[in-house]
Amino acid sequence: MNTATNTPTPGRFDAIVVGGGPAGLAAAYTLAAGGAHVVVIERGDWPGSKNMMGGLIFSQPTAQVIPEFWKEAPLERHVTRREMWLTTGESVLKAAYESTDFGAEPYNSFTVYRSRFDKWLAEQARAKGAVIITETLVEDLLMEGNRVVGVRTGRPQGDLEADVVILAEGVNPFLAEKAGLSRGLKAESLAIAVKEVLALPREKVEDRFNLEEGTGAAYEIVGEITNGIPGTGFIYTNRDTVSIGVGVILKDMVDRAGEAYALLERFKAQPQVRRLIQGASPREYSAHLIPEGGYRGMPKLYGNGVLVVGDAAGMVNAAFTEGANLALLSGRMAAQTVLKARDCGSFEALTLSHYGELLKKSVIMKDLKTFEKMTPFLSSHPHFFSIYPELASAVVKELLTVDSLSKADKMHLIIKLVKSQRPTRKYLKDLYDGWRAFS
Amino acid sequence: MAIHSVVCVKQVPDTTQVRIDPDTGSLIRQGIPSVINPFDLHAVEAALKFREEQGGSITAVSMGPPQAEETLRKVLGFGVDRAILLTDRAFAGADTLATTHALAAAIRKIAAAEPVDLVICGKQSIDGDTGQVGPGLAHRLGMSQVTYICGLEGIDPEAGVIRAWRQLEKGREQLEAKLPAALTITETCNHIRYASLPDLIAAADKPVEVWTVDDIEVDRTKLGLKGSPTRVNKIFAPPVRERGEVLVAAESSAADAAAKIMDRLTEQGLEMGLAG
């Protein structure tokens, strides 16, 4: 094996990126744009082919990587309305926010098919000079002592060396484990999401979701649909399809012997949901794990000659269902770190710790820190997904039902109802726990 | 003897994902990913094998829309030396006849710079299934024609011939053909290799050359929709095949079952004498 030197060998790569998802491609794009010789190794048929996310990408972080991406990228709809639903099975309590500001440049968010968007992102990286290799599995890391010096792929003559390896391998970071950075997956810090893409004619999507041409809506649904398991449902409108799915914490689902697909069926059968998707024909069904361990579940983010980005680094903000934008930004910061390290000619952990500094100063770590106790909190307070939605719904129902009761009697009834659900001290404890978890 | 092979490849919709519109009977291609025609990969493999055995070079050619560049990129990843994409509105809507006029003109131009010994195609495309382009090229280029090749013995450089096995309806046929020759390759001819990492990386730096109608010498009235006499009258989904006869093993001994199968096969007049 070659010992690392500062004189570049012709044809040698400065960096190898493992994985062609948003994190890896943002890293490759930024590196190539900065003049580095970079290769992305992706196991799928094309970058994006393994990526199932069919949800939102946010404009501002994406534009940090590729300015004005919305002019070129394959997007579905720009989202002008977000809704939050509390469901009980029989009723829905909705909160909605709609803004015309979200309907003009630079927009706020877009619905996308990750598989198409990432393919496009890979083209942009290629145009900057990145080499994209597909259908190739990275099986191992090449090590020299405690230093990562390259990767071993499943191809003939498949070893490849570089100054630094960026691990963007996704939710199951087995290379990061091999590098001694990650401790592996734990069911309590994983969510499982199942999703269907349902085809509906464009006009029907716009009619049923009350949308202007080209605009989209994103719904998040909490309550009875997850059958008491901490998690949420989601509905996103695409051009002529609707993405609908459920995500729940894996451990809680397994403990309760739940089945993710059964939850999705239950969700789709909810009357308020059923009418939105009536007559739509299924196009895709997929399932994926999401690392929701948050701040506490994160691996070590760098070592000698190696950096970890995106899902592999556990960069998901479950509270706001954000992941792809954290992936993009972390990929970009890793690339900026490598460009800097290239200038100093050192790729030791100490030099690469710059990545940790950049992250710490960024919105990524600030948000992950704020919500670090969220996933364990929700797992230990599953009634937040059952009692509270029902209570809220019951209160509103009582207020809206006009019958022979006076308003004063109604207030008494509501107070009685609230008290009957849970003793007062338990409400206080929930409040205290919640305050502790998020402050 | 260094062999210069030209491999013709086509980008096709992934037919495993194509659905038929029940109202119109036409293919719904929208949103269906494109792939390289699987038989063409066997043609590429055959060319790689000839280059290993005899030396020489490989040029890949594809006619199609600009995005067919992806297909040629994939072929370059196998270590093909040169890739040319024929793309022009003038070629659009071509049937197999018009396609052979365009491809033959391109191959003539390639041959003018470096003589071509072999033109290699897949046995047919999976979207059209006609199997006519290979034979059409043999005719237009005045080459020997060897179709449905299921085995290659190799090239005899001294005699200037290629020896191959052809798959026929009933059995196989061995033959020898003079070079230059146009071949069409079946999936049983070879195993497609797993491209090496250095080849894949090297492919990233190779250009895909783009030729338009202005780059080739051809009678323009024979191209595209204008040059295509084929008219599609009707497209329909074939009826679902009925289930075949099932002999339940538990109801008879293995010997009885074997005898029954033999009876059925001879009843249907199947000849079992397979060569090779």
Side-chain angles (χ1 to χ4, degrees):
Chain A
M1 240 177 257
N2 296 332
T3 44
T5 57
N6 287 343
T7 43
T9 322
R12 184 183 156 90
F13 288 102
D14 296 308
I16 298 168
V17 176
V18 181
L25 293 171
Y29 179 90
T30 309
L31 280 166
H37 195 205
V38 56
V39 59
V40 178
I41 304 179
E42 160 62 35
R43 76 187 161 119
D45 288 356
W46 72 87
S49 63
K50 296 276 177 190
N51 307 348
M52 77 153 252
M53 191 201 97
L56 296 186
I57 63 161
F58 293 89
S59 195
Q60 197 270 351
T62 311
Q64 283 186 44
V65 179
I66 300 189
E68 302 199 323
F69 68 95
W70 55 83
K71 292 190 169 155
E72 305 268 330
L75 305 165
E76 291 295 313
R77 292 171 178 273
H78 56 267
V79 174
T80 52
R81 191 174 75 249
R82 302 280 303 262
E83 293 193 7
M84 178 68 148
W85 294 12
L86 285 175
T87 67
T88 63
E90 157 258 340
S91 69
V92 175
L93 186 60
K94 302 179 184 180
Y97 177 77
E98 185 164 354
S99 165
T100 49
D101 270 4
F102 287 176
E105 286 186 20
Y107 304 100
N108 178 58
S109 60
F110 298 90
T111 52
V112 296
Y113 291 121
R114 192 84 247 169
S115 58
R116 285 185 203 160
F117 186 83
D118 287 351
K119 193 176 183 186
W120 174 83
L121 196 55
E123 282 309 318
Q124 308 314 302
R126 198 206 306 275
K128 292 282 177 196
V131 174
I132 315 278
I133 303 288
T134 57
E135 296 171 87
T136 303
L137 179 68
V138 173
E139 294 174 347
D140 208 350
L141 294 172
L142 302 179
M143 306 286 296
E144 256 175 34
N146 66 357
R147 185 185 149 73
V148 175
V149 296
V151 298
R152 169 157 296 164
T153 69
R155 293 267 175 193
Q157 302 163 63
D159 285 4
L160 192 63
E161 294 192 1
D163 291 330
V164 65
V165 176
I166 297 178
L167 299 176
E169 54 187 324
V171 58
N172 190 0
F174 87 105
L175 293 173
E177 253 184 277
K178 285 196 165 163
L181 300 172
S182 166
R183 283 155 302 177
L185 297 178
K186 287 201 191 84
E188 60 267 32
S189 47
L190 286 174
I192 178 154
V194 292
K195 185 192 81 179
E196 280 181 18
V197 175
L198 303 173
L200 265 185
R202 177 185 296 228
E203 321 79 63
K204 279 203 174 159
V205 173
E206 284 166 3
D207 283 352
R208 289 188 190 179
F209 289 83
N210 189 20
L211 297 167
E212 276 182 55
E213 203 181 327
T215 68
Y219 298 178
E220 263 160 66
I221 295 98
V222 174
E224 189 269 351
I225 56 150
T226 52
N227 204 13
I229 304 172
T232 53
F234 56 86
I235 304 175
Y236 299 118
T237 57
N238 302 312
R239 227 179 272 260
D240 51 11
T241 61
V242 173
S243 297
I244 180 164
V246 177
V248 288
I249 295 174
L250 185 61
K251 185 172 185 301
D252 295 303
M253 191 187 74
V254 173
D255 286 351
R256 276 164 235 210
E259 298 280 8
Y261 70 86
L263 292 178
L264 180 52
E265 286 311 313
R266 188 187 172 90
F267 180 31
K268 282 163 62 189
Q270 177 108 10
Q272 298 82 1
V273 174
R274 197 169 57 210
R275 64 170 180 249
L276 291 174
I277 57 171
Q278 200 151 39
S281 57
R283 278 275 178 81
E284 281 175 26
Y285 176 87
S286 53
H288 213 282
L289 293 174
I290 303 170
E292 296 198 347
Y295 187 78
R296 293 174 171 191
M298 290 177 91
K300 270 191 74 181
L301 297 167
Y302 49 87
N304 292 319
V306 63
L307 293 154
V308 191
V309 296
D311 271 7
M315 289 184 188
V316 168
N317 181 351
F320 283 81
T321 55
E322 290 175 40
N325 52 325
L326 279 65
L328 280 172
L329 291 180
S330 67
R332 183 163 179 265
M333 288 174 207
Q336 288 166 336
T337 303
V338 170
L339 289 172
K340 209 172 156 181
R342 196 160 156 259
D343 290 340
C344 348
S346 157
F347 297 91
E348 303 305 312
L350 188 65
T351 326
L352 299 182
S353 68
H354 182 63
Y355 173 52
E357 298 299 318
L358 287 178
L359 278 171
K360 215 177 281 174
K361 276 188 264 172
S362 76
V363 65
I364 297 182
M365 287 309 221
K366 284 178 188 161
D367 279 354
L368 287 177
K369 195 101 183 62
T370 307
F371 294 103
E372 68 174 317
K373 293 174 198 155
M374 197 188 77
T375 300
F377 170 77
L378 295 179
S379 274
S380 58
H381 295 72
H383 53 275
F384 273 54
F385 293 87
S386 50
I387 290 180
Y388 286 112
E390 286 192 11
L391 202 54
S393 167
V395 168
V396 176
K397 187 180 185 184
E398 205 51 63
L399 283 173
L400 295 181
T401 308
V402 174
D403 48 24
S404 49
L405 287 181
S406 71
K407 298 303 176 205
D409 285 345
K410 272 194 189 288
M411 283 318 289
H412 282 298
L413 200 68
I414 286 169
I415 290 164
K416 236 172 90 184
L417 180 79
V418 170
K419 282 187 171 163
S420 73
Q421 290 287 316
R422 246 168 126 64
T424 312
R425 63 179 170 79
K426 285 214 166 170
Y427 285 116
L428 291 174
K429 183 167 184 319
D430 282 345
L431 203 62
Y432 175 70
D433 289 352
W435 171 73
R436 288 234 327 185
F438 297 106
S439 64
Chain B
M1 177 187 178
I3 296 290
H4 181 205
S5 301
V6 170
V7 184
C8 300
V9 296
K10 183 183 185 186
Q11 188 179 48
V12 293
D14 186 348
T15 51
T16 58
Q17 296 193 38
V18 169
R19 290 169 303 131
I20 309 273
D21 185 318
D23 300 329
T24 64
S26 61
L27 302 182
I28 306 172
R29 297 194 184 209
Q30 199 200 358
I32 302 297
S34 296
V35 295
I36 181 167
N37 181 41
F39 298 115
D40 299 351
L41 284 174
H42 293 279
V44 170
E45 178 61 40
L48 293 168
K49 196 85 192 305
F50 287 134
R51 190 179 64 184
E52 277 164 14
E53 289 168 359
Q54 308 285 338
S57 65
I58 304 167
T59 304
V61 185
S62 185
M63 187 180 96
Q67 60 268 29
E69 185 193 332
E70 280 176 52
T71 296
L72 285 166
R73 290 226 150 273
K74 181 163 173 102
V75 169
L76 284 172
F78 283 92
V80 163
D81 301 281
R82 186 181 176 199
I84 298 163
L85 174 64
L86 286 178
T87 188
D88 200 304
R89 287 202 171 274
F91 302 134
D95 66 3
T96 51
L97 183 75
T99 302
T100 59
H101 279 292
L103 285 175
I107 295 168
R108 273 188 218 108
K109 179 171 169 170
I110 294 165
E114 187 189 355
V116 172
D117 305 293
L118 290 172
V119 170
I120 313 178
C121 303
K123 69 164 179 179
Q124 65 199 42
S125 63
I126 57 167
D127 58 345
D129 276 338
T130 61
Q132 292 167 345
V133 169
L137 290 175
H139 172 72
R140 273 178 227 307
L141 297 166
M143 294 181 168
S144 316
Q145 180 188 143
V146 191
T147 52
Y148 300 104
I149 293 176
C150 58
L152 282 161
E153 304 239 313
I155 288 165
D156 181 343
E158 266 151 45
V161 296
I162 179 167
R163 297 196 183 93
W165 289 93
R166 293 184 69 219
Q167 185 70 57
L168 306 178
E169 296 229 336
K170 295 176 179 178
R172 306 205 296 168
E173 150 183 286
Q174 189 184 28
L175 54 75
E176 190 175 277
K178 262 211 163 80
L179 297 180
L183 319 177
T184 76
I185 306 287
T186 71
E187 70 280 20
T188 53
C189 180
N190 53 33
H191 289 287
I192 299 157
R193 70 189 60 196
Y194 198 36
S196 76
L197 189 60
D199 276 345
L200 285 177
I201 291 170
D205 287 335
K206 288 184 194 163
V208 169
E209 296 168 50
V210 176
W211 288 4
T212 67
V213 70
D214 297 329
D215 293 299
I216 55 174
E217 269 180 48
V218 66
D219 177 354
R220 296 193 182 206
T221 61
K222 293 186 171 162
L223 298 178
L225 200 56
K226 276 197 306 248
S228 297
T230 309
R231 292 289 171 267
V232 177
N233 285 333
K234 189 180 167 193
I235 298 175
F236 61 94
V240 179
R241 267 208 233 171
E242 281 174 37
R243 193 166 176 232
E245 187 181 350
V246 177
L247 299 175
V248 181
E251 287 171 8
S252 57
S253 71
D256 284 351
K260 260 186 197 166
I261 292 170
M262 276 308 290
D263 286 349
R264 290 282 188 285
L265 291 175
T266 39
E267 259 169 45
Q268 288 170 19
L270 200 82
E271 287 168 38
M272 304 296 288
L274 295 180

